[in-house]
Amino acid sequence: MPTARMAALVAAGLTVSLCIPTAQATAAGASRSPAPALDRYYDQRPVWHRCGTAGEYPADLRCATLEVPLDYTRPAGPTLRMEISRLRTSVPGKRRGVLLSNPGGPGAGGLGNPSAYKEVMPKSVRDRYDLVGFDPRGTGASSPLNCGLTTNELDWPRAYRPASFRQTTAVARDFAAKCVARDRARLPHLTTRNTARDMDVIRAVLGEKRISYMGVSYGTYLGAVYTQMFPARSDRVVLDSSVDPNRFGRGVYQAMAEGVEPAFQDWIRLVAGRDRTYHLGDTPAEVRATLFRLLARADRTPLKYNGSDPDFEDRAVTGADIRASLRPMFFYDPYQAARDVVSLRKAPATRPDPRPSDEPADPFDANFQALHWAVVCADNSASWPSDPARYRHDAIRDGARLPLYGDFTSNITPCAFWPRGAEPATRVNNTVGALILQNQWDSQTPAASGRAMHRALRGSRLVQVQGGRDHGVYGIPATPACATNTVNTYLVTGRLPSSDITCRTRP
């Protein structure tokens, strides 16, 4: 027989296992909290006001400030401010409820999401929902995390180099130490599970028994965790460009290195077929050899960058810099990647850039990076070794196994020195209905990750866009109508396709 304490924790979604609220609890009303001690959060009445400063957001977008507990097991303890936004439907008679959204990250704010979706959603969808956004805990206007970072501490992940590994380790340690010194008490609770609990507070405060949801990138993991913790409160769920929900933590980064290899094989095939244009080799093997000779040359002596990536403009680039620049381009613009390689082959040698600045980082960038690593580190502490030697070993191994990006994603990060999260990682495995969208050549969340999300959400349907090259499907101009219409139909009617769908982009 469970104790009263255990029962309260289960009801609040504070265990990793799947918790399905009883019919009695679900029927009790939209504002009912999962545990009586949380009633004051669930019973808040939002006071709506203009969002941000004048001109920052459209005038019809309204915001409200809520209060949520830092630690849901201690409802009377410290609290956080959470800012939410809402764009009301103009046709109340057709209204189904709210469509909450998250743009990704973690670390990205979402107050502007409703206005962005208003521009791409047809009237048939907008009529049925109040579009709702929020800045997740620790981000933007929601009690932002500020670690006092410098510009030198923002650049992650980093390539593995034997000569600089000790320095990289020191920067990672300093990053974590600054966050611990300023905010140790909050760090274990800046997690996806707690953000999902915050979403359930939003649901109740808005007077809804269930919420519909649209998440992109990291937002797909947040949505999946919500369905795991609050399955009976999940309505229509759209997950666009998914992470593998059961690899969240270090595995999400390593999946990027695994995903680039098939894109690279496709790239060398395409470029070899256009040797008269690019002159990089008329077989895939020759194109590959040409690129790796260029990378080796740049690692010996930096080159003056003259490619298309603005992050490297007017910089001296090494082979590692070139790999970082080309990795996403192999997916979304393979021919521009070929043009950049052609240009870099002609680039002159130059002196290395001076050491990155230790000046204070831009506040927006610093908040994004601090919160990003806070969530990635604390969500799945077990996935991050604490011994730097393990990262050295893994980076060498994966650099050989996955030569384009494996050393980046297995190298050391601030997570090696981060405090443990308050809870274990969430295991996603349920039958909540969801629509999963996935481009074939997505550089950030590879196609294999979308398929993994589909397997974890056993009530889902998968819409695969063959030839799709963006990170994001819905609202992207290149997305075929086949995919867009499937989303709109689901949001309007609630009907999932009878089976998985493959849509194809135009050549």
Side-chain angles (χ1 to χ4, degrees):
M1 181 70 68
T3 65
R5 168 71 170 163
M6 290 174 61
L9 293 179
V10 171
L14 293 167
T15 64
V16 176
S17 58
L18 177 62
C19 163
I20 302 179
T22 64
Q24 181 179 2
T26 303
S31 62
R32 175 85 177 232
S33 69
L38 297 171
D39 281 350
R40 74 181 181 98
Y41 301 105
Y42 276 67
D43 292 342
Q44 295 175 86
R45 295 185 178 182
V47 177
W48 298 97
H49 55 81
R50 186 177 188 128
C51 294
T53 57
E56 186 177 359
Y57 297 103
D60 58 351
L61 185 69
R62 309 302 288 176
C63 283
T65 304
L66 305 180
E67 186 181 24
V68 294
L70 171 65
D71 179 356
Y72 276 79
T73 66
R74 297 176 56 221
T79 63
L80 299 173
R81 163 196 172 110
M82 181 171 62
E83 196 78 358
I84 65 173
S85 61
R86 181 176 67 182
L87 197 59
R88 284 186 177 273
T89 174
S90 60
V91 189
K94 291 185 178 181
R95 183 183 183 277
R96 176 176 180 82
V98 301
L99 179 62
L100 186 65
S101 60
N102 178 275
L111 292 182
N113 262 25
S115 298
Y117 278 123
K118 176 186 176 182
E119 298 301 316
V120 298
M121 285 178 168
K123 188 174 185 298
S124 59
V125 175
R126 298 197 310 271
D127 287 351
R128 284 165 172 78
Y129 298 96
D130 292 348
L131 303 179
V132 177
F134 70 113
D135 279 354
R137 55 171 55 206
T139 300
S142 295
S143 298
L145 179 64
N146 178 10
C147 297
L149 301 175
T150 67
T151 54
N152 183 43
E153 292 164 333
L154 301 186
D155 185 21
W156 303 97
R158 301 185 179 198
Y160 172 76
R161 293 171 177 153
S164 60
F165 179 73
R166 182 174 295 180
Q167 180 186 1
T168 301
T169 299
V171 176
R173 182 184 288 110
D174 288 347
F175 185 122
K178 286 183 176 181
C179 292
V180 168
R182 289 186 176 221
D183 238 330
R184 174 183 280 277
R186 284 207 295 167
L187 296 183
H189 306 288
L190 297 176
T191 64
T192 300
R193 288 180 67 81
N194 278 332
T195 301
R197 294 181 180 108
D198 297 342
M199 286 169 52
D200 202 55
V201 170
I202 296 173
R203 171 199 63 78
V205 166
L206 295 180
E208 303 294 330
K209 291 185 178 180
R210 304 171 76 192
I211 52 172
S212 295
Y213 177 81
M214 179 171 281
V216 182
S217 193
Y218 161 76
T220 65
Y221 179 64
L222 174 59
V225 169
Y226 186 85
T227 69
Q228 189 71 21
M229 296 173 67
F230 302 102
R233 294 170 184 173
S234 304
D235 195 8
R236 298 169 185 177
V237 177
V238 179
L239 305 180
D240 185 342
S241 307
S242 293
V243 302
D244 181 339
N246 293 316
R247 290 186 69 183
F248 194 77
R250 195 182 186 206
V252 166
Y253 281 92
Q254 292 174 321
M256 294 169 64
E258 295 160 6
V260 74
E261 293 298 328
F264 178 63
Q265 295 304 316
D266 187 60
W267 180 78
I268 60 176
R269 178 188 62 81
L270 290 172
V271 173
R274 290 159 177 77
D275 184 51
R276 291 185 178 181
T277 300
Y278 302 116
H279 308 292
L280 297 176
D282 59 8
T283 68
E286 288 182 2
V287 175
R288 185 184 191 282
T290 297
L291 175 63
F292 277 88
R293 282 195 297 270
L294 172 65
L295 298 177
R297 174 191 165 206
D299 274 332
R300 289 191 302 271
T301 306
L303 305 177
K304 182 68 174 177
Y305 186 75
N306 55 357
S308 62
D309 188 338
D311 289 342
F312 292 97
E313 190 173 359
D314 295 325
R315 280 183 51 185
V317 293
T318 65
D321 296 327
I322 295 170
R323 288 189 287 132
S325 174
L326 291 180
R327 181 195 63 81
M329 295 176 63
F330 290 142
F331 293 88
Y332 71 77
D333 196 344
Y335 299 119
Q336 182 59 57
R339 290 190 289 272
D340 279 2
V341 172
V342 170
S343 179
L344 284 163
R345 289 180 76 191
K346 302 174 184 177
T350 189
R351 293 182 178 181
D353 286 330
R355 180 181 174 183
S357 171
D358 284 327
E359 296 178 355
D362 173 81
F364 177 87
D365 294 338
N367 174 230
F368 181 96
Q369 288 289 334
L371 197 279
H372 179 90
W373 289 104
V375 175
V376 170
C377 298
D379 260 24
N380 188 0
S381 299
S383 71
W384 297 100
S386 59
D387 181 3
R390 171 71 181 277
Y391 291 94
R392 182 194 295 271
H393 171 273
D394 291 354
I396 293 171
R397 177 200 64 198
D398 291 344
R401 184 172 65 93
L402 304 166
L404 286 168
Y405 210 59
D407 62 315
F408 277 85
T409 59
S410 289
N411 200 5
I412 200 163
T413 74
C415 294
F417 309 102
W418 210 262
R420 294 189 69 82
E423 301 175 81
T426 304
R427 181 72 182 175
V428 175
N429 179 26
N430 65 59
T431 59
V432 173
L435 189 65
I436 298 171
L437 313 176
Q438 186 64 49
N439 279 321
Q440 179 184 10
W441 300 117
D442 183 331
S443 62
Q444 302 303 106
T445 53
S449 297
R451 293 192 294 270
M453 179 68 82
H454 183 33
R455 291 192 298 271
L457 296 180
R458 291 176 283 113
S460 66
R461 292 289 182 268
L462 176 63
V463 178
Q464 302 178 83
V465 181
Q466 197 76 17
R469 292 191 174 274
D470 288 287
H471 179 49
V473 177
Y474 190 77
I476 302 298
T479 295
C482 160
T484 301
N485 293 342
T486 301
V487 177
N488 293 335
T489 297
Y490 172 55
L491 290 174
V492 170
T493 68
R495 292 194 299 269
L496 286 167
S498 58
S499 60
D500 295 343
I501 294 176
T502 297
C503 303
R504 290 177 170 80
T505 58
R506 295 185 299 274

